[in-house]
Amino acid sequence: MKRRNFIKLTSAAAAAPIVLNGLPLKAFATPDMLRAMNCSEVKERILVLIQLRGGNDGLNTLIPINQYTDYRTARPNIFIPDAGANSYITLDTSLPANQQIGLHPAMTEIKSLYDQGKVSIIQGVAYNDQNRSHFKSTDLWLSAGDGTPANFNKTSGWMGRYLNFTYPGLAGNPQPFMPDPLGIQLGDPKPSLGFHTEQEHSSGINLSGQDPSGFYSLISEIGGPGLKNIPDSEYGDEIQFIMDMEASTSKYAQRISDVFNQGINMGNYPNHDLADQLKTVARLINGGCQSKVYLVQLNGFDTHVNQVEAGASTTGDHAELLLELSESVKAFLDDLELMSLDNKVIAATFSEFGRKPGENGSFGTDHGDLAPMFIFGKAVNPGIIGENPDFSTVQNNLFVGYQHDYRQVFTTLVQDWLGASNDALMATEMDAYLPNKLAIVDKDHYVDPACYFSQITDTTDIEQEIEVAYTFFPNPVQEEVHISFSSTLSHLATVFLRDIHGRLILQEKHQILAGPNMIDVEFPDLPNGPYILQLVSDQGANMASEKVMLRR
């Protein structure tokens, strides 16, 4: 059996109609991309932000063991027990007493990731003059604002400012050297302020629906031809933003469809909405999508009532949400590892605020201040940053003070993981937090200052397109299979051989030469049956995949 796949590594080939897991998805475009970076170690890195919408209750997520009596007194009906079949999960007995925490019993998969060294937890996160409105506080987090007058009404998002400054040029227009949007949002039909820029309303493109001709169509359902006379007001700005998104939708529709079809998932995902979103992210990355920032979301954390079930505090709405988060993130990281993409991705959670330390009268909690953040990935510096919230500071059912400003976390990730320069952080309006960055990225993945980059403006040295035609033979195979193709450029690639369940059997690095190539893959001693061969470029793009039958 022969198979010919024509793939352009910077512009995927046309594909059949798809469904991206039925998810609302948006793309946020600012131009020029990663191949102009000087340091190969950072040019392919990706940040995935997981928004926990509604205000996650940090105290029932991370139970403060060293203050368990105070915690239980403040929450007599909703506390997580310290003994019994449904007790909290002790995270790490080697930590100091003031960092000893118990995970909610629904978070067994997070415990597993922590034991693998893939979790960093940041305690006591908030900002100056905390606002407790869902909408305003969310806007503040997305815009790098706070409750002070100087930072209360930012009209652009920190992600949009960072991407627009770092990759200036023809905003919203795909180029051969960068066919992908720099940011993609999934899971919400409303465009996120986080990707909004002052200069370009059209930085946001809505991608939602069911197929290439319409799966990006949700925003167009707002309806009809664009308005001719837009009012000069904040309302008019929002209308223009939506119209520009609708007008530019088609620019990325086929490309996103192509990379989705070209990509695969190796892991198994649970039946959760967040898992579907993360599964889509993993498949886009595997298919060669070069977007830098992904934003996904999990709704439902506004737990004023029925946070727990009466008489069963480890069940209820909050437990179900934490189970979805835990299982979805574990499946995502496992999938990335199976595809050898786990060195490229760090994921971080955030929520607009925490909950009050004391429960209310409805088996729930009300809007508070402090909330923890989770950072996930192979490249994180595992452990706890900060101490448990201090119950001795509680006044009017609120903790007084906070340990870490959320902008310290984002500043650290943007510079130490994505490699942004101080100038880029200044344009992002988070440079004030550079002196107080956190030890989130481990020493083996920390970006050296020599690799920092500011604006990407010169595209003259962008790699030319690579076109390859693949043939796998023989198939069925007895001893070895040959992968025959031609390439217009020299580059490195890796061959992966996996069983039908995605388990890695063989991994080989190969130098691809300009011109004809033949890769010979010798099968080890394996039982007869189906196997998956995958050829992946050194930049993580899935060049080709084929199911082969072993018959000896």
Side-chain angles (χ1 to χ4, degrees):
M1 180 184 300
K2 293 185 179 181
R3 179 185 178 190
R4 294 176 60 84
N5 297 324
F6 294 91
I7 301 165
K8 294 180 180 179
L9 296 184
T10 58
S11 181
I18 63 166
V19 176
L20 284 196
N21 300 330
L23 298 172
L25 185 151
K26 299 185 200 64
F28 296 86
T30 37
D32 298 350
M33 192 50 185
L34 309 178
R35 302 189 189 279
M37 294 183 189
N38 294 323
C39 294
S40 60
E41 67 192 63
V42 300
K43 68 181 181 178
E44 297 295 328
R45 290 184 176 181
I46 292 162
L47 178 62
V48 177
L49 298 175
I50 304 171
Q51 185 176 358
L52 309 180
R53 298 188 65 167
N56 179 40
D57 178 21
L59 284 174
N60 270 24
T61 303
L62 306 177
I63 294 86
I65 295 176
N66 67 320
Q67 299 178 77
Y68 188 79
T69 300
D70 293 331
Y71 158 78
R72 179 167 177 166
T73 299
R75 300 181 163 211
N77 296 298
I78 70 168
F79 70 89
I80 303 300
D82 60 349
N86 293 317
S87 64
Y88 60 68
I89 304 166
T90 301
L91 181 69
D92 185 350
T93 57
S94 69
L95 294 169
N98 61 6
Q99 292 185 327
Q100 283 289 332
I101 57 175
L103 293 176
H104 190 287
M107 302 180 74
T108 55
E109 299 288 25
I110 298 299
K111 167 63 173 171
S112 174
L113 289 174
Y114 181 88
D115 291 343
Q116 295 174 35
K118 296 180 178 180
V119 180
S120 178
I121 298 172
I122 304 163
Q123 285 276 32
V125 182
Y127 56 81
N128 294 333
D129 295 345
Q130 177 80 46
N131 186 283
R132 298 184 188 91
S133 160
H134 290 293
F135 304 106
K136 187 60 183 179
S137 191
T138 297
D139 284 353
L140 293 177
W141 274 77
L142 294 172
S143 65
D146 56 40
T148 64
N151 296 312
F152 193 67
N153 289 306
K154 295 177 182 286
T155 56
S156 60
W158 69 262
M159 291 174 275
R161 294 193 296 268
Y162 161 65
L163 295 171
N164 194 56
F165 174 84
T166 308
Y167 310 98
L170 303 175
N173 294 314
Q175 300 295 314
F177 50 81
M178 179 43 199
D180 301 309
L182 288 176
I184 291 180
Q185 177 189 349
L186 294 92
D188 186 1
K190 180 181 178 182
S192 172
L193 172 65
F195 288 108
H196 197 280
T197 66
E198 296 284 6
Q199 297 85 2
E200 297 287 347
H201 282 299
S202 60
S203 62
I205 299 173
N206 185 7
L207 309 175
S208 99
Q210 307 305 318
D211 54 64
S213 62
F215 101 62
Y216 312 98
S217 64
L218 185 61
I219 203 68
S220 65
E221 294 173 8
I222 293 174
L227 300 176
K228 294 183 178 180
N229 298 310
I230 305 299
D232 184 13
S233 64
E234 182 177 353
Y235 171 76
D237 289 343
E238 294 302 317
I239 293 295
Q240 185 65 58
F241 183 38
I242 292 172
M243 289 174 58
D244 289 343
M245 286 174 56
E246 182 176 347
S248 56
T249 290
S250 61
K251 294 177 182 176
Y252 286 104
Q254 189 60 55
R255 167 61 181 177
I256 296 297
S257 178
D258 289 345
V259 295
F260 181 86
N261 272 300
Q262 180 59 29
I264 60 173
N265 294 105
M266 289 288 191
N268 297 315
Y269 286 79
N271 185 25
H272 299 311
D273 180 62
L274 179 61
D276 287 342
Q277 295 174 54
L278 292 173
K279 182 179 181 180
T280 301
V281 172
R283 183 165 173 174
L284 288 171
I285 295 171
N286 177 268
C289 186
Q290 302 168 54
S291 300
K292 289 297 290 178
V293 181
Y294 291 84
L295 177 63
V296 300
Q297 67 170 354
L298 177 57
N299 292 316
F301 285 91
D302 193 18
T303 50
H304 291 285
V305 298
N306 300 325
Q307 178 171 323
V308 306
E309 294 183 359
S313 63
T314 59
T315 61
D317 293 344
H318 195 233
E320 293 176 5
L321 289 165
L322 294 180
L323 178 68
E324 179 170 352
L325 173 66
S326 181
E327 291 184 344
S328 300
V329 170
K330 178 65 161 55
F332 178 58
L333 294 187
D334 287 351
D335 194 16
L336 293 175
E337 183 177 5
L338 286 170
M339 297 186 294
S340 299
L341 296 172
D342 48 340
N343 267 322
K344 293 179 60 173
V345 181
I346 277 182
T349 68
F350 71 97
S351 194
E352 61 261 40
F353 43 65
R355 317 297 290 190
K356 290 184 176 180
E359 66 181 49
N360 59 28
S362 303
F363 296 100
T365 51
D366 297 326
H367 299 182
D369 294 343
L370 308 182
M373 294 180 69
F374 290 85
I375 316 296
F376 301 110
K378 181 179 180 179
V380 304
N381 185 23
I384 307 293
I385 298 175
E387 304 173 356
N388 292 336
D390 186 355
F391 274 84
S392 69
T393 69
V394 173
Q395 297 179 15
N396 299 318
N397 202 16
L398 290 169
F399 289 106
V400 175
Y402 60 92
Q403 299 177 57
H404 302 105
D405 191 294
Y406 74 94
R407 289 162 290 194
Q408 291 177 261
V409 181
F410 291 150
T411 296
T412 301
L413 291 172
V414 169
Q415 184 162 91
D416 293 354
W417 176 243
L418 296 181
S421 68
N422 291 355
D423 288 342
L425 266 299
M426 183 177 297
T428 307
E429 299 179 15
M430 293 195 298
D431 55 302
Y433 301 91
L434 284 168
N436 303 112
K437 291 190 300 179
L438 304 173
I440 296 173
V441 182
D442 73 22
K443 61 181 178 62
D444 293 329
H445 295 87
Y446 181 90
V447 178
D448 188 280
C451 293
Y452 291 167
F453 61 94
S454 290
Q455 292 182 314
I456 307 301
T457 57
D458 183 6
T459 60
T460 57
D461 295 328
I462 298 299
E463 287 185 18
Q464 66 189 65
E465 293 178 352
I466 305 171
E467 187 175 85
V468 284
Y470 299 94
T471 303
F472 293 77
F473 66 95
N475 191 7
V477 59
Q478 291 184 324
E479 299 295 336
E480 65 179 8
V481 65
H482 312 289
I483 308 174
S484 175
F485 59 97
S486 61
S487 174
T488 59
L489 288 178
S490 297
H491 60 101
L492 289 173
T494 303
V495 171
F496 297 95
L497 175 64
R498 304 181 192 274
D499 66 18
I500 200 65
H501 302 293
R503 291 186 288 262
L504 182 64
I505 297 170
L506 181 69
Q507 177 176 334
E508 297 177 347
K509 182 79 74 173
H510 291 270
Q511 176 65 55
I512 307 302
L513 303 176
N517 287 265
M518 177 82 77
I519 295 177
D520 301 322
V521 182
E522 184 175 350
F523 274 57
D525 186 15
L526 296 169
N528 287 342
Y531 295 87
I532 302 295
L533 267 175
Q534 184 183 19
L535 186 62
V536 178
S537 77
D538 59 337
Q539 297 169 341
N542 182 38
M543 299 165 62
S545 298
E546 182 80 350
K547 182 168 76 172
V548 297
M549 295 295 298
L550 179 62
R551 292 179 184 171
R552 286 176 166 159

